[in-house]
Amino acid sequence: MTVVGIDDSDSRERGMCTTYVAARIAERLRREGAEVSRILLVRLNPAVKYKTRGNAALAIHTDCASDVVFSYARELLEELAETDDERTNPGLVAADHDPTAVPEAVGRFALEAIRDHLEIDDAAGLIDECGYRSWSAGNGRGRIGALAAVGAWAALSPRIEWTYEYISYREPERWGTPREVDAESVFAAAAEGYPDVWDTVDRGEGEAVCVPHTPGPILHGIRGDDPDAVRTVARRIDCEPVASSRLFVTNQGTDVHLRNARDADEEIVDGWAYRVDGRVVSPPETRRGGHVFVTLELESADADESDDSSEGGENGRRLECAAFEPTKRFRDRVRALRVGDRITACGEVARGTLKLEKFAVRDLVRIERVTPACPDCDRTMESAGRDQGYRCRTCKTTAPGKVERPLERALEGGWYEVPPCARRHVAKPLIRGGFDGQVHPER
Ligand code: ATP
């Protein structure tokens, strides 16, 4: 077996897409009589600044000899990669073994490429150590993604349930022109395929999220849990002629980028993505641009629920969380939080702020303490002076202190998420299941 990893072939302005290069390599291998057992589409750390769009790297698993695949892949990368763009730095790594047989260090490298930031030298050193064949152009950065793609099958198979994307490509002469896709047929196909097929459309925004707006070769990409289901949805879409299509096995929709911040004292690192437990300590605030911010005081994941020592929010570590404008209706969920609520928040931390991808309501404040109303005239009482309770000036009634009133809440317990139009590739849609609690999926 041979595993070939490739990355970094496209440019933001000029189009192209590394999935297309991988599909072309696979096509050539099949033409030459080799078997391609799968193509992996691996989403790496979404916080990496070098990415063009979705930080994807690709791996092809085949029975073809590694030197042969290597030369095909190099030829196609040289032909297709947009190397005139100085930000495009293609990389290629070929490993002469089964995808499950990667050295432990390569598996670790793959996981780090998803959760952390790596250097070109880290990749180059490990490629040498493993005796892998490699090629790169430009500054060689593409070798990071290419090596991560080689290690991904072994590293991720024990951690995630792989998902699928069925990508249909445009005829090359149409690249860069508006896509002809019948939106009604997309919505109908998406409804038929749901919930095995997800993130095809955003019904709230009326958007066909499976159709990209960038100049590249992709016509549409259909994502889901089942290979037949994604294929069926793709075929139901009425659109311009499809030049070719390909099924990819992916880590999209898996949350594999998140790490648990178990201990409230743990350092929170910029560029890493977390699952944190905390208590809301400031009322949600909508700032300029429509972005909504809320501050949490972090709690240890195994904190005793009855332990109120962290209440008051004076001493604990605080973390600002944000739901940015593009997360649309999700912001209403965040605005519905109140001081005292306990939640689990998930997202990437950038410049000290966690960019919310989803959150779980663990405990809602259900009672508020308010100034009492006069039992005779029903008007709100006034303070009778410091520590002297309340009184009604007109009726002369008194009350010893504030009274408790049940609070109407617009939230329930369980998980809330950003809508499909704002979903990061690697973030897990709630409809996929496996969450600890009730879910409120967006579609
Ligand atoms: P493409 O379709 O070309 O793959 P993309 O949005 O996936 O577009 P790339 O153009 O591949 O982005 O750019 C990402 C670059 O960052 C690649 O060179 C890749 O090797 C590198 N990279 C990926 N993950 C990491 C990481 N964790 N640390 C450092 N560099 C990384």
Side-chain angles (χ1 to χ4, degrees), residues 7-10 16-19 44-45 48 50-57 87 89 112-114 116-119 141-146:
D7 195 12
D8 205 339
S9 69
D10 73 350
M16 190 39 60
C17 160
T18 312
T19 70
L44 303 176
N45 187 349
V48 161
Y50 311 103
K51 69 177 182 181
T52 312
R53 282 182 295 268
N55 205 8
R87 292 169 51 103
N89 299 292
E112 279 171 18
I114 292 168
D116 206 339
H117 293 256
L118 295 161
E119 300 300 329
R141 175 162 297 278
R143 279 177 298 174
I144 296 178

PDB file of all heavy atoms in Angstrom, residues 7-10 16-19 44-45 48 50-57 87 89 112-114 116-119 141-146, ligand 1:
ATOM      1  N   ASP A   7      -0.940  18.920  -0.283  1.00  0.00           N
ATOM      2  CA  ASP A   7      -1.574  20.117   0.291  1.00  0.00           C
ATOM      3  C   ASP A   7      -1.125  21.377  -0.425  1.00  0.00           C
ATOM      4  O   ASP A   7      -0.101  21.399  -1.099  1.00  0.00           O
ATOM      5  CB  ASP A   7      -1.233  20.245   1.783  1.00  0.00           C
ATOM      6  CG  ASP A   7      -2.160  21.257   2.475  1.00  0.00           C
ATOM      7  OD1 ASP A   7      -3.172  21.656   1.882  1.00  0.00           O
ATOM      8  OD2 ASP A   7      -1.850  21.639   3.617  1.00  0.00           O
ATOM      9  N   ASP A   8      -1.936  22.394  -0.226  1.00  0.00           N
ATOM     10  CA  ASP A   8      -1.616  23.783  -0.565  1.00  0.00           C
ATOM     11  C   ASP A   8      -1.406  24.012  -2.065  1.00  0.00           C
ATOM     12  O   ASP A   8      -0.328  24.380  -2.515  1.00  0.00           O
ATOM     13  CB  ASP A   8      -0.359  24.223   0.207  1.00  0.00           C
ATOM     14  CG  ASP A   8      -0.322  25.745   0.399  1.00  0.00           C
ATOM     15  OD1 ASP A   8      -1.002  26.451  -0.362  1.00  0.00           O
ATOM     16  OD2 ASP A   8       0.400  26.195   1.299  1.00  0.00           O
ATOM     17  N   SER A   9      -2.491  23.800  -2.818  1.00  0.00           N
ATOM     18  CA  SER A   9      -2.370  23.998  -4.266  1.00  0.00           C
ATOM     19  C   SER A   9      -3.157  25.208  -4.740  1.00  0.00           C
ATOM     20  O   SER A   9      -3.040  25.595  -5.888  1.00  0.00           O
ATOM     21  CB  SER A   9      -2.889  22.762  -4.999  1.00  0.00           C
ATOM     22  OG  SER A   9      -4.286  22.677  -4.834  1.00  0.00           O
ATOM     23  N   ASP A  10      -3.980  25.773  -3.864  1.00  0.00           N
ATOM     24  CA  ASP A  10      -4.886  26.785  -4.414  1.00  0.00           C
ATOM     25  C   ASP A  10      -4.548  28.187  -3.950  1.00  0.00           C
ATOM     26  O   ASP A  10      -3.746  28.403  -3.046  1.00  0.00           O
ATOM     27  CB  ASP A  10      -6.343  26.450  -4.130  1.00  0.00           C
ATOM     28  CG  ASP A  10      -6.732  26.649  -2.694  1.00  0.00           C
ATOM     29  OD1 ASP A  10      -5.833  26.866  -1.881  1.00  0.00           O
ATOM     30  OD2 ASP A  10      -7.928  26.573  -2.405  1.00  0.00           O
ATOM     31  N   MET A  16      -8.727  27.028  -8.081  1.00  0.00           N
ATOM     32  CA  MET A  16      -8.133  25.709  -7.872  1.00  0.00           C
ATOM     33  C   MET A  16      -8.525  25.224  -6.472  1.00  0.00           C
ATOM     34  O   MET A  16      -9.105  25.970  -5.675  1.00  0.00           O
ATOM     35  CB  MET A  16      -6.614  25.721  -8.067  1.00  0.00           C
ATOM     36  CG  MET A  16      -5.943  24.350  -8.099  1.00  0.00           C
ATOM     37  SD  MET A  16      -6.837  23.025  -8.950  1.00  0.00           S
ATOM     38  CE  MET A  16      -6.995  23.644 -10.602  1.00  0.00           C
ATOM     39  N   CYS A  17      -8.231  23.989  -6.195  1.00  0.00           N
ATOM     40  CA  CYS A  17      -8.691  23.390  -4.957  1.00  0.00           C
ATOM     41  C   CYS A  17      -7.956  22.071  -4.838  1.00  0.00           C
ATOM     42  O   CYS A  17      -7.885  21.304  -5.813  1.00  0.00           O
ATOM     43  CB  CYS A  17     -10.195  23.181  -5.074  1.00  0.00           C
ATOM     44  SG  CYS A  17     -10.843  21.979  -3.949  1.00  0.00           S
ATOM     45  N   THR A  18      -7.391  21.800  -3.670  1.00  0.00           N
ATOM     46  CA  THR A  18      -6.556  20.605  -3.534  1.00  0.00           C
ATOM     47  C   THR A  18      -7.383  19.322  -3.672  1.00  0.00           C
ATOM     48  O   THR A  18      -6.857  18.300  -4.102  1.00  0.00           O
ATOM     49  CB  THR A  18      -5.748  20.661  -2.229  1.00  0.00           C
ATOM     50  OG1 THR A  18      -5.143  21.963  -2.155  1.00  0.00           O
ATOM     51  CG2 THR A  18      -4.638  19.633  -2.202  1.00  0.00           C
ATOM     52  N   THR A  19      -8.692  19.381  -3.357  1.00  0.00           N
ATOM     53  CA  THR A  19      -9.524  18.172  -3.549  1.00  0.00           C
ATOM     54  C   THR A  19      -9.527  17.796  -5.028  1.00  0.00           C
ATOM     55  O   THR A  19      -9.536  16.614  -5.371  1.00  0.00           O
ATOM     56  CB  THR A  19     -10.992  18.369  -3.114  1.00  0.00           C
ATOM     57  OG1 THR A  19     -11.669  19.245  -4.008  1.00  0.00           O
ATOM     58  CG2 THR A  19     -11.098  18.885  -1.684  1.00  0.00           C
ATOM     59  N   LEU A  44      -7.443  20.606   8.779  1.00  0.00           N
ATOM     60  CA  LEU A  44      -6.437  20.864   9.814  1.00  0.00           C
ATOM     61  C   LEU A  44      -6.862  22.086  10.629  1.00  0.00           C
ATOM     62  O   LEU A  44      -7.964  22.599  10.446  1.00  0.00           O
ATOM     63  CB  LEU A  44      -5.074  21.046   9.145  1.00  0.00           C
ATOM     64  CG  LEU A  44      -4.653  19.845   8.274  1.00  0.00           C
ATOM     65  CD1 LEU A  44      -3.346  20.128   7.551  1.00  0.00           C
ATOM     66  CD2 LEU A  44      -4.526  18.573   9.109  1.00  0.00           C
ATOM     67  N   ASN A  45      -5.996  22.530  11.506  1.00  0.00           N
ATOM     68  CA  ASN A  45      -6.343  23.604  12.454  1.00  0.00           C
ATOM     69  C   ASN A  45      -6.964  24.817  11.730  1.00  0.00           C
ATOM     70  O   ASN A  45      -6.291  25.490  10.951  1.00  0.00           O
ATOM     71  CB  ASN A  45      -5.069  24.026  13.199  1.00  0.00           C
ATOM     72  CG  ASN A  45      -5.383  25.019  14.315  1.00  0.00           C
ATOM     73  OD1 ASN A  45      -6.492  25.528  14.400  1.00  0.00           O
ATOM     74  ND2 ASN A  45      -4.401  25.277  15.157  1.00  0.00           N
ATOM     75  N   VAL A  48      -5.119  28.354  11.590  1.00  0.00           N
ATOM     76  CA  VAL A  48      -3.832  28.602  10.923  1.00  0.00           C
ATOM     77  C   VAL A  48      -3.947  29.742   9.916  1.00  0.00           C
ATOM     78  O   VAL A  48      -4.828  29.742   9.061  1.00  0.00           O
ATOM     79  CB  VAL A  48      -3.353  27.291  10.233  1.00  0.00           C
ATOM     80  CG1 VAL A  48      -2.321  27.568   9.168  1.00  0.00           C
ATOM     81  CG2 VAL A  48      -2.786  26.349  11.275  1.00  0.00           C
ATOM     82  N   TYR A  50      -2.053  30.702   7.476  1.00  0.00           N
ATOM     83  CA  TYR A  50      -1.592  30.495   6.094  1.00  0.00           C
ATOM     84  C   TYR A  50      -2.665  29.909   5.196  1.00  0.00           C
ATOM     85  O   TYR A  50      -2.486  29.794   3.994  1.00  0.00           O
ATOM     86  CB  TYR A  50      -0.388  29.541   6.070  1.00  0.00           C
ATOM     87  CG  TYR A  50       0.684  29.916   7.050  1.00  0.00           C
ATOM     88  CD1 TYR A  50       0.823  29.226   8.242  1.00  0.00           C
ATOM     89  CD2 TYR A  50       1.528  30.982   6.774  1.00  0.00           C
ATOM     90  CE1 TYR A  50       1.809  29.591   9.157  1.00  0.00           C
ATOM     91  CE2 TYR A  50       2.509  31.344   7.677  1.00  0.00           C
ATOM     92  CZ  TYR A  50       2.644  30.645   8.862  1.00  0.00           C
ATOM     93  OH  TYR A  50       3.605  31.000   9.756  1.00  0.00           O
ATOM     94  N   LYS A  51      -3.769  29.480   5.800  1.00  0.00           N
ATOM     95  CA  LYS A  51      -4.750  28.746   4.985  1.00  0.00           C
ATOM     96  C   LYS A  51      -5.361  29.655   3.922  1.00  0.00           C
ATOM     97  O   LYS A  51      -5.419  30.877   4.088  1.00  0.00           O
ATOM     98  CB  LYS A  51      -5.860  28.183   5.878  1.00  0.00           C
ATOM     99  CG  LYS A  51      -6.751  29.252   6.478  1.00  0.00           C
ATOM    100  CD  LYS A  51      -7.862  28.644   7.290  1.00  0.00           C
ATOM    101  CE  LYS A  51      -8.755  29.758   7.825  1.00  0.00           C
ATOM    102  NZ  LYS A  51      -9.852  29.277   8.636  1.00  0.00           N
ATOM    103  N   THR A  52      -5.799  29.042   2.819  1.00  0.00           N
ATOM    104  CA  THR A  52      -6.491  29.796   1.786  1.00  0.00           C
ATOM    105  C   THR A  52      -7.948  29.949   2.199  1.00  0.00           C
ATOM    106  O   THR A  52      -8.494  31.031   2.222  1.00  0.00           O
ATOM    107  CB  THR A  52      -6.414  29.070   0.431  1.00  0.00           C
ATOM    108  OG1 THR A  52      -5.064  28.690   0.211  1.00  0.00           O
ATOM    109  CG2 THR A  52      -6.865  29.965  -0.701  1.00  0.00           C
ATOM    110  N   ARG A  53      -8.571  28.839   2.532  1.00  0.00           N
ATOM    111  CA  ARG A  53      -9.966  28.881   2.993  1.00  0.00           C
ATOM    112  C   ARG A  53     -10.190  27.930   4.154  1.00  0.00           C
ATOM    113  O   ARG A  53     -10.235  28.344   5.295  1.00  0.00           O
ATOM    114  CB  ARG A  53     -10.918  28.538   1.843  1.00  0.00           C
ATOM    115  CG  ARG A  53     -11.132  29.697   0.897  1.00  0.00           C
ATOM    116  CD  ARG A  53     -12.115  29.319  -0.190  1.00  0.00           C
ATOM    117  NE  ARG A  53     -11.553  28.262  -1.020  1.00  0.00           N
ATOM    118  CZ  ARG A  53     -10.849  28.495  -2.142  1.00  0.00           C
ATOM    119  NH1 ARG A  53     -10.657  29.730  -2.555  1.00  0.00           N
ATOM    120  NH2 ARG A  53     -10.360  27.496  -2.845  1.00  0.00           N
ATOM    121  N   GLY A  54     -10.302  26.644   3.852  1.00  0.00           N
ATOM    122  CA  GLY A  54     -10.745  25.706   4.887  1.00  0.00           C
ATOM    123  C   GLY A  54      -9.656  24.872   5.519  1.00  0.00           C
ATOM    124  O   GLY A  54      -9.931  23.961   6.279  1.00  0.00           O
ATOM    125  N   ASN A  55      -8.404  25.186   5.237  1.00  0.00           N
ATOM    126  CA  ASN A  55      -7.259  24.393   5.696  1.00  0.00           C
ATOM    127  C   ASN A  55      -7.467  22.885   5.518  1.00  0.00           C
ATOM    128  O   ASN A  55      -7.485  22.121   6.479  1.00  0.00           O
ATOM    129  CB  ASN A  55      -6.866  24.722   7.137  1.00  0.00           C
ATOM    130  CG  ASN A  55      -5.394  24.398   7.375  1.00  0.00           C
ATOM    131  OD1 ASN A  55      -4.658  24.072   6.438  1.00  0.00           O
ATOM    132  ND2 ASN A  55      -4.972  24.472   8.622  1.00  0.00           N
ATOM    133  N   ALA A  56      -7.580  22.508   4.264  1.00  0.00           N
ATOM    134  CA  ALA A  56      -7.751  21.094   3.923  1.00  0.00           C
ATOM    135  C   ALA A  56      -6.432  20.506   3.443  1.00  0.00           C
ATOM    136  O   ALA A  56      -5.637  21.191   2.807  1.00  0.00           O
ATOM    137  CB  ALA A  56      -8.780  20.974   2.810  1.00  0.00           C
ATOM    138  N   ALA A  57      -6.186  19.237   3.790  1.00  0.00           N
ATOM    139  CA  ALA A  57      -5.083  18.474   3.196  1.00  0.00           C
ATOM    140  C   ALA A  57      -5.686  17.149   2.738  1.00  0.00           C
ATOM    141  O   ALA A  57      -6.714  16.718   3.268  1.00  0.00           O
ATOM    142  CB  ALA A  57      -3.983  18.254   4.223  1.00  0.00           C
ATOM    143  N   ARG A  87       1.536  32.853  -2.022  1.00  0.00           N
ATOM    144  CA  ARG A  87       0.976  32.217  -0.836  1.00  0.00           C
ATOM    145  C   ARG A  87       0.667  30.741  -1.071  1.00  0.00           C
ATOM    146  O   ARG A  87       0.190  30.049  -0.179  1.00  0.00           O
ATOM    147  CB  ARG A  87      -0.289  32.940  -0.391  1.00  0.00           C
ATOM    148  CG  ARG A  87      -0.035  34.345   0.151  1.00  0.00           C
ATOM    149  CD  ARG A  87      -1.340  35.075   0.317  1.00  0.00           C
ATOM    150  NE  ARG A  87      -2.281  34.253   1.092  1.00  0.00           N
ATOM    151  CZ  ARG A  87      -2.569  34.465   2.375  1.00  0.00           C
ATOM    152  NH1 ARG A  87      -2.040  35.467   3.009  1.00  0.00           N
ATOM    153  NH2 ARG A  87      -3.422  33.694   2.992  1.00  0.00           N
ATOM    154  N   ASN A  89       2.056  27.178  -1.646  1.00  0.00           N
ATOM    155  CA  ASN A  89       3.325  26.465  -1.435  1.00  0.00           C
ATOM    156  C   ASN A  89       3.082  24.967  -1.374  1.00  0.00           C
ATOM    157  O   ASN A  89       3.079  24.369  -0.301  1.00  0.00           O
ATOM    158  CB  ASN A  89       3.955  26.938  -0.112  1.00  0.00           C
ATOM    159  CG  ASN A  89       4.252  28.423  -0.136  1.00  0.00           C
ATOM    160  OD1 ASN A  89       5.118  28.884  -0.870  1.00  0.00           O
ATOM    161  ND2 ASN A  89       3.505  29.193   0.652  1.00  0.00           N
ATOM    162  N   GLU A 112      -1.560  17.066  15.965  1.00  0.00           N
ATOM    163  CA  GLU A 112      -1.065  18.419  16.274  1.00  0.00           C
ATOM    164  C   GLU A 112      -1.401  19.392  15.161  1.00  0.00           C
ATOM    165  O   GLU A 112      -1.684  20.570  15.412  1.00  0.00           O
ATOM    166  CB  GLU A 112       0.453  18.392  16.503  1.00  0.00           C
ATOM    167  CG  GLU A 112       0.803  17.940  17.905  1.00  0.00           C
ATOM    168  CD  GLU A 112       2.292  17.694  18.079  1.00  0.00           C
ATOM    169  OE1 GLU A 112       3.081  18.180  17.254  1.00  0.00           O
ATOM    170  OE2 GLU A 112       2.652  16.994  19.042  1.00  0.00           O
ATOM    171  N   ALA A 113      -1.377  18.923  13.918  1.00  0.00           N
ATOM    172  CA  ALA A 113      -1.701  19.813  12.796  1.00  0.00           C
ATOM    173  C   ALA A 113      -3.164  20.249  12.855  1.00  0.00           C
ATOM    174  O   ALA A 113      -3.523  21.297  12.336  1.00  0.00           O
ATOM    175  CB  ALA A 113      -1.415  19.121  11.469  1.00  0.00           C
ATOM    176  N   ILE A 114      -3.998  19.431  13.509  1.00  0.00           N
ATOM    177  CA  ILE A 114      -5.415  19.788  13.645  1.00  0.00           C
ATOM    178  C   ILE A 114      -5.627  20.722  14.831  1.00  0.00           C
ATOM    179  O   ILE A 114      -6.468  21.601  14.805  1.00  0.00           O
ATOM    180  CB  ILE A 114      -6.265  18.503  13.806  1.00  0.00           C
ATOM    181  CG1 ILE A 114      -6.238  17.697  12.504  1.00  0.00           C
ATOM    182  CG2 ILE A 114      -7.696  18.837  14.205  1.00  0.00           C
ATOM    183  CD1 ILE A 114      -6.795  16.291  12.622  1.00  0.00           C
ATOM    184  N   ASP A 116      -2.984  22.380  16.751  1.00  0.00           N
ATOM    185  CA  ASP A 116      -1.896  23.266  17.177  1.00  0.00           C
ATOM    186  C   ASP A 116      -1.242  23.901  15.952  1.00  0.00           C
ATOM    187  O   ASP A 116      -1.729  23.753  14.837  1.00  0.00           O
ATOM    188  CB  ASP A 116      -0.868  22.409  17.944  1.00  0.00           C
ATOM    189  CG  ASP A 116      -0.076  23.247  18.931  1.00  0.00           C
ATOM    190  OD1 ASP A 116      -0.019  24.469  18.772  1.00  0.00           O
ATOM    191  OD2 ASP A 116       0.519  22.637  19.844  1.00  0.00           O
ATOM    192  N   HIS A 117      -0.131  24.588  16.176  1.00  0.00           N
ATOM    193  CA  HIS A 117       0.601  25.228  15.079  1.00  0.00           C
ATOM    194  C   HIS A 117       1.964  24.554  14.943  1.00  0.00           C
ATOM    195  O   HIS A 117       2.659  24.392  15.932  1.00  0.00           O
ATOM    196  CB  HIS A 117       0.783  26.721  15.375  1.00  0.00           C
ATOM    197  CG  HIS A 117      -0.518  27.444  15.369  1.00  0.00           C
ATOM    198  ND1 HIS A 117      -0.920  28.245  14.329  1.00  0.00           N
ATOM    199  CD2 HIS A 117      -1.530  27.437  16.253  1.00  0.00           C
ATOM    200  CE1 HIS A 117      -2.126  28.709  14.580  1.00  0.00           C
ATOM    201  NE2 HIS A 117      -2.511  28.240  15.753  1.00  0.00           N
ATOM    202  N   LEU A 118       2.320  24.193  13.716  1.00  0.00           N
ATOM    203  CA  LEU A 118       3.579  23.488  13.488  1.00  0.00           C
ATOM    204  C   LEU A 118       4.491  24.316  12.582  1.00  0.00           C
ATOM    205  O   LEU A 118       4.037  25.237  11.906  1.00  0.00           O
ATOM    206  CB  LEU A 118       3.293  22.137  12.829  1.00  0.00           C
ATOM    207  CG  LEU A 118       2.513  21.153  13.704  1.00  0.00           C
ATOM    208  CD1 LEU A 118       1.871  20.058  12.879  1.00  0.00           C
ATOM    209  CD2 LEU A 118       3.433  20.539  14.759  1.00  0.00           C
ATOM    210  N   GLU A 119       5.752  23.933  12.567  1.00  0.00           N
ATOM    211  CA  GLU A 119       6.736  24.635  11.727  1.00  0.00           C
ATOM    212  C   GLU A 119       7.115  23.745  10.545  1.00  0.00           C
ATOM    213  O   GLU A 119       7.031  22.524  10.627  1.00  0.00           O
ATOM    214  CB  GLU A 119       8.006  24.938  12.551  1.00  0.00           C
ATOM    215  CG  GLU A 119       7.765  25.807  13.770  1.00  0.00           C
ATOM    216  CD  GLU A 119       7.185  27.165  13.422  1.00  0.00           C
ATOM    217  OE1 GLU A 119       7.485  27.680  12.318  1.00  0.00           O
ATOM    218  OE2 GLU A 119       6.411  27.705  14.235  1.00  0.00           O
ATOM    219  N   ARG A 141       5.906  24.959   2.812  1.00  0.00           N
ATOM    220  CA  ARG A 141       4.922  24.834   3.895  1.00  0.00           C
ATOM    221  C   ARG A 141       3.913  23.706   3.659  1.00  0.00           C
ATOM    222  O   ARG A 141       3.425  23.088   4.601  1.00  0.00           O
ATOM    223  CB  ARG A 141       4.194  26.164   4.095  1.00  0.00           C
ATOM    224  CG  ARG A 141       3.074  26.105   5.121  1.00  0.00           C
ATOM    225  CD  ARG A 141       2.643  27.447   5.624  1.00  0.00           C
ATOM    226  NE  ARG A 141       3.704  28.130   6.328  1.00  0.00           N
ATOM    227  CZ  ARG A 141       3.999  27.889   7.609  1.00  0.00           C
ATOM    228  NH1 ARG A 141       3.321  27.025   8.305  1.00  0.00           N
ATOM    229  NH2 ARG A 141       5.001  28.536   8.172  1.00  0.00           N
ATOM    230  N   GLY A 142       3.632  23.447   2.385  1.00  0.00           N
ATOM    231  CA  GLY A 142       2.645  22.408   2.054  1.00  0.00           C
ATOM    232  C   GLY A 142       3.009  21.043   2.614  1.00  0.00           C
ATOM    233  O   GLY A 142       2.133  20.185   2.762  1.00  0.00           O
ATOM    234  N   ARG A 143       4.274  20.834   2.952  1.00  0.00           N
ATOM    235  CA  ARG A 143       4.662  19.528   3.508  1.00  0.00           C
ATOM    236  C   ARG A 143       4.040  19.289   4.882  1.00  0.00           C
ATOM    237  O   ARG A 143       3.876  18.142   5.298  1.00  0.00           O
ATOM    238  CB  ARG A 143       6.192  19.421   3.591  1.00  0.00           C
ATOM    239  CG  ARG A 143       6.809  19.037   2.253  1.00  0.00           C
ATOM    240  CD  ARG A 143       8.296  19.009   2.334  1.00  0.00           C
ATOM    241  NE  ARG A 143       8.800  20.349   2.662  1.00  0.00           N
ATOM    242  CZ  ARG A 143      10.070  20.635   2.912  1.00  0.00           C
ATOM    243  NH1 ARG A 143      10.968  19.673   2.886  1.00  0.00           N
ATOM    244  NH2 ARG A 143      10.452  21.861   3.176  1.00  0.00           N
ATOM    245  N   ILE A 144       3.694  20.381   5.580  1.00  0.00           N
ATOM    246  CA  ILE A 144       3.052  20.198   6.900  1.00  0.00           C
ATOM    247  C   ILE A 144       1.709  19.484   6.710  1.00  0.00           C
ATOM    248  O   ILE A 144       1.455  18.434   7.309  1.00  0.00           O
ATOM    249  CB  ILE A 144       2.834  21.565   7.607  1.00  0.00           C
ATOM    250  CG1 ILE A 144       4.179  22.222   7.908  1.00  0.00           C
ATOM    251  CG2 ILE A 144       2.011  21.389   8.885  1.00  0.00           C
ATOM    252  CD1 ILE A 144       4.084  23.603   8.557  1.00  0.00           C
ATOM    253  N   GLY A 145       0.880  20.050   5.843  1.00  0.00           N
ATOM    254  CA  GLY A 145      -0.430  19.450   5.596  1.00  0.00           C
ATOM    255  C   GLY A 145      -0.309  18.080   4.946  1.00  0.00           C
ATOM    256  O   GLY A 145      -1.071  17.158   5.267  1.00  0.00           O
ATOM    257  N   ALA A 146       0.650  17.937   4.016  1.00  0.00           N
ATOM    258  CA  ALA A 146       0.804  16.665   3.305  1.00  0.00           C
ATOM    259  C   ALA A 146       1.189  15.541   4.279  1.00  0.00           C
ATOM    260  O   ALA A 146       0.636  14.435   4.227  1.00  0.00           O
ATOM    261  CB  ALA A 146       1.857  16.813   2.209  1.00  0.00           C
TER     262      ALA A 146
HETATM  263  P1  ATP B   1      -6.031  24.264  -0.307  1.00  0.00           P
HETATM  264  O1  ATP B   1      -7.295  23.958  -1.041  1.00  0.00           O
HETATM  265  O2  ATP B   1      -4.935  24.750  -1.177  1.00  0.00           O
HETATM  266  O3  ATP B   1      -5.578  23.101   0.502  1.00  0.00           O
HETATM  267  P2  ATP B   1      -6.531  25.570   2.233  1.00  0.00           P
HETATM  268  O4  ATP B   1      -7.525  26.546   2.705  1.00  0.00           O
HETATM  269  O5  ATP B   1      -6.688  24.178   2.673  1.00  0.00           O
HETATM  270  O6  ATP B   1      -6.408  25.535   0.653  1.00  0.00           O
HETATM  271  P3  ATP B   1      -3.749  25.855   2.144  1.00  0.00           P
HETATM  272  O7  ATP B   1      -3.584  26.642   0.897  1.00  0.00           O
HETATM  273  O8  ATP B   1      -3.573  24.394   2.092  1.00  0.00           O
HETATM  274  O9  ATP B   1      -5.182  26.170   2.723  1.00  0.00           O
HETATM  275  O10 ATP B   1      -2.830  26.538   3.231  1.00  0.00           O
HETATM  276  C1  ATP B   1      -2.599  25.991   4.497  1.00  0.00           C
HETATM  277  C2  ATP B   1      -1.100  25.900   4.714  1.00  0.00           C
HETATM  278  O11 ATP B   1      -0.853  25.828   6.112  1.00  0.00           O
HETATM  279  C3  ATP B   1      -0.508  24.652   4.088  1.00  0.00           C
HETATM  280  O12 ATP B   1       0.753  24.980   3.572  1.00  0.00           O
HETATM  281  C4  ATP B   1      -0.365  23.693   5.267  1.00  0.00           C
HETATM  282  O13 ATP B   1       0.724  22.803   5.121  1.00  0.00           O
HETATM  283  C5  ATP B   1      -0.119  24.654   6.398  1.00  0.00           C
HETATM  284  N1  ATP B   1      -0.639  24.154   7.674  1.00  0.00           N
HETATM  285  C6  ATP B   1      -1.730  23.388   7.876  1.00  0.00           C
HETATM  286  N2  ATP B   1      -1.910  23.121   9.187  1.00  0.00           N
HETATM  287  C7  ATP B   1      -0.903  23.727   9.832  1.00  0.00           C
HETATM  288  C8  ATP B   1      -0.530  23.818  11.206  1.00  0.00           C
HETATM  289  N3  ATP B   1      -1.256  23.231  12.154  1.00  0.00           N
HETATM  290  N4  ATP B   1       0.563  24.553  11.516  1.00  0.00           N
HETATM  291  C9  ATP B   1       1.273  25.187  10.548  1.00  0.00           C
HETATM  292  N5  ATP B   1       0.989  25.134   9.240  1.00  0.00           N
HETATM  293  C10 ATP B   1      -0.088  24.414   8.874  1.00  0.00           C
END
